[in-house]
Amino acid sequence: MSLTRRTLLTAGSVGLVIAQAQAATQQAQNAPSPTTSDNRLRIAMPAFASDPFFPADGAGDKGIDMELARGIAAELGVEPVFDRSAATFDGMVKLLMSGQADMAIGKLSRTLQRGRSILYSKPYAILHQGLLANRLNLARIAQGKPPEQIIRDFSGDLGVIEGSSFATYAAATFPHAQIHRFAGWNTVVDAIRNGTIDLAYRDDFEIKKLLVDDPSMTVVARSITLTDKVDTIAVGVRPDNPHLAAFVDLYLDLAKGQQVLNTDEIIARYRLGSKA
């Protein structure tokens, strides 16, 4: 039976639809992806704990940063693979720079120095910078003046954690101070407790958390919040993957409702977790 014109037009239309569908499928397959082709998202996170952001390596998967990492991976449809080899915050940055990790999520502060080497998402937490002061040493230095008056020109002994953002901030914020670098926060706190250093420099959340954990610390130390100095916490992304950095920003906007955590909210979550 001979083909009619209508039959030919119908067949041609069907063929066109099939061709368009095949082209769309091919285009989708060839579209750039924010992740690698092995269907994994390699996430750098420190080996140590920083509650309520992340636990120590091998101590579970609870925490603000753990939830954030798994949420991003789920929306990308890939498996999150955690690299907990970093001994410092700067160690996470090095993993991004070397291409060994795709993202770094672990209470990572944004600094201009790090921003020269990696990409950052928008902040998901904004803290204030703070000081933990040995009470006797501070009274000796202040000589009756309000402590806030002597902070900016402070020339005493200041403790920071090696490999932290505050080790970077210290020279600019306290140019006259004698800066002492410690391997971890516990050793910084011990130095405050025994008077080896006058001030410890970190974000106000960690200082307030310390006083929650050990109220007796208020006998030998006091906290000072630098209200004009902020510490912005964000996701770090390897420098050659702007698509992934843009996706993380989109995730923070749409899935997290542009929520930016502050110190009080994080302290509340920490108190709740410590009672569990």
Side-chain angles (χ1 to χ4, degrees):
M1 182 175 61
S2 61
L3 295 175
T4 65
R5 178 179 176 82
R6 178 175 293 180
T7 301
L8 289 171
L9 289 174
T10 302
S13 298
V14 172
L16 178 61
V17 170
I18 293 174
Q20 289 175 336
Q22 290 174 338
T25 301
Q26 186 66 33
Q27 185 177 12
Q29 291 173 344
N30 295 333
S33 171
T35 59
T36 54
S37 58
D38 61 2
N39 210 40
R40 300 190 308 162
L41 186 65
R42 299 168 303 168
I43 303 166
M45 187 175 283
F48 53 85
S50 182
D51 294 333
F53 287 90
F54 52 88
D57 186 17
D61 59 359
K62 294 183 179 179
I64 294 168
D65 287 340
M66 278 289 186
E67 293 169 4
L68 179 59
R70 294 188 181 281
I72 293 170
E75 289 297 332
L76 287 168
V78 297
E79 177 189 1
V81 177
F82 292 91
D83 183 337
R84 304 298 302 271
S85 63
T88 66
F89 295 102
D90 279 347
M92 289 192 293
V93 174
K94 291 178 181 177
L95 289 173
L96 293 177
M97 293 169 59
S98 66
Q100 294 175 261
D102 301 307
M103 293 194 321
I105 305 181
K107 198 170 178 277
L108 183 66
S109 299
R110 299 193 306 172
T111 70
L112 293 174
Q113 181 175 339
R114 289 171 179 168
R116 293 162 57 183
S117 304
I118 65 170
L119 301 174
Y120 276 114
S121 73
K122 60 182 59 180
Y124 61 89
I126 298 181
L127 313 174
H128 283 291
Q129 297 182 17
L131 297 165
L132 182 69
N134 178 284
R135 286 186 179 275
L136 291 179
N137 291 6
L138 185 63
R140 171 179 51 79
I141 295 169
Q143 296 181 347
K145 298 178 183 177
E148 291 75 11
Q149 290 185 10
I150 59 92
I151 290 302
R152 292 307 182 198
D153 295 322
F154 176 70
S155 59
D157 295 297
L158 179 75
V160 295
I161 302 172
E162 180 62 62
S164 71
S165 60
F166 291 88
T168 301
Y169 298 147
T173 307
F174 301 102
H176 308 299
Q178 308 302 310
I179 300 171
H180 302 266
R181 299 169 184 267
F182 295 83
W185 181 231
N186 288 340
T187 53
V188 177
V189 172
D190 288 342
I192 285 290
R193 193 187 296 275
N194 60 37
T196 304
I197 59 174
D198 306 311
L199 301 177
Y201 188 28
R202 206 176 180 188
D203 64 74
D204 67 335
F205 162 71
E206 291 293 344
I207 293 171
K208 290 178 180 179
K209 185 174 81 169
L210 170 68
L211 301 180
V212 168
D213 290 341
D214 185 5
S216 68
M217 191 71 187
T218 58
V219 176
V220 296
R222 60 161 292 185
S223 65
I224 300 171
T225 297
L226 305 180
T227 55
D228 61 333
K229 295 283 186 179
V230 296
D231 181 31
T232 54
I233 309 300
V235 178
V237 179
R238 56 186 291 176
D240 61 346
N241 200 339
H243 190 176
L244 179 57
F247 183 87
V248 174
D249 277 349
L250 189 63
Y251 178 85
L252 293 173
D253 279 346
L254 301 184
K256 291 296 184 179
Q258 299 181 329
Q259 179 187 22
V260 180
L261 299 170
N262 60 39
T263 296
D264 290 341
E265 291 169 329
I266 300 169
I267 279 288
R269 174 158 175 168
Y270 179 73
R271 287 180 183 275
L272 185 63
S274 64
K275 294 176 182 178

